[in-house]
Amino acid sequence: MGLDFTAIDFETANSSNASACAVGLARVRDGRVVASEGWLIRPPAGHDRFFEINVGIHGIQADDVLTADTWADQLPRLLDFVGDDILVAHNAGFDMRVLRTACEVTGHAAPPARYLCSLHVARKTYDLPSYRLPFVAAAAGHLDFAHHDATADALACAQVVIDSAVRAGAEDLVELAMLLGVRIPQIPHPVPASAA
């Protein structure tokens, strides 16, 4: 199978998990980044207010997304890039909640993707004073990237997992997770309203 996965990173407009305003993606095949992409997203109505604290983190403002695709419009492009890959994200719980919640509020089924958290991987791989992405990426030899640019973060996350797999001697993500004692959970299938 090889070390194949897609790293993903979302930036949000506010404290709502549905307020995705940017996504970054990095595709890894056989332990090498082979493609990366990122774009702005117009958050769903009701979740589209930009908080000053969020803008201060990523620099994206409401005017920047006025002509961007909506969540619903860009979702096929995102899913096409990811395909059947296991997703990897730094603090994956956050990014998977964004994916699930944005889908829920726009009436779309979230993909039942499996995912691995590079933060958990990093804690088992490196001895660092902080496990924030810039520190972990530096430990993996990935220096000076634009933190909180979604594509740059996805690329940094990919490099962390690639380096961790090399250090652990893992040939794929499942073996890496097993060797480090971390989980690869799955985004739950949505429960139909009639079954609830």
Side-chain angles (χ1 to χ4, degrees):
M1 179 167 100
L3 189 65
D4 299 347
F5 62 89
T6 294
I8 189 167
D9 181 77
F10 287 108
E11 299 297 332
T12 55
N14 57 58
S15 56
S16 166
N17 288 325
S19 71
C21 62
V23 64
L25 300 156
R27 181 182 298 128
V28 173
R29 292 292 177 267
D30 291 321
R32 290 181 48 243
V33 174
V34 296
S36 64
E37 207 172 335
W39 55 83
L40 295 175
I41 301 167
R42 191 161 19 115
H47 303 269
D48 53 356
R49 187 167 157 229
F50 278 73
F51 286 3
E52 191 174 312
I53 189 167
N54 293 64
V55 173
I57 291 169
H58 52 58
I60 303 166
Q61 303 191 46
D63 288 350
D64 296 326
V65 302
L66 285 177
T67 60
D69 284 342
T70 64
W71 178 264
D73 290 337
Q74 68 80 47
L75 186 58
R77 180 179 174 192
L78 188 157
L79 297 177
D80 185 55
F81 190 99
V82 171
D84 294 328
D85 279 2
I86 296 174
L87 295 173
V88 172
H90 204 69
N91 191 16
F94 166 78
D95 296 281
M96 297 310 115
R97 280 192 300 277
V98 170
L99 181 54
R100 283 181 60 193
T101 309
C103 284
E104 286 169 11
V105 304
T106 57
H108 295 83
R114 298 168 70 204
Y115 61 93
L116 176 70
C117 182
S118 63
L119 176 60
H120 296 164
V121 168
R123 286 184 172 144
K124 300 278 189 163
T125 303
Y126 309 104
D127 182 14
L128 300 170
S130 168
Y131 290 91
R132 291 182 60 240
L133 186 55
F135 292 97
V136 178
H142 187 77
L143 306 170
D144 298 327
F145 68 99
H147 188 33
H148 293 301
D149 171 275
T151 306
D153 282 0
L155 285 163
C157 175
Q159 293 301 332
V160 166
V161 173
I162 292 166
D163 184 64
S164 297
V166 169
R167 289 172 185 243
E171 293 187 10
D172 59 40
L173 282 191
V174 173
E175 185 179 15
L176 177 64
M178 184 190 68
L179 289 170
L180 298 182
V182 298
R183 295 178 57 238
I184 300 181
Q186 183 170 13
I187 297 173
H189 287 278
V191 178
S194 59

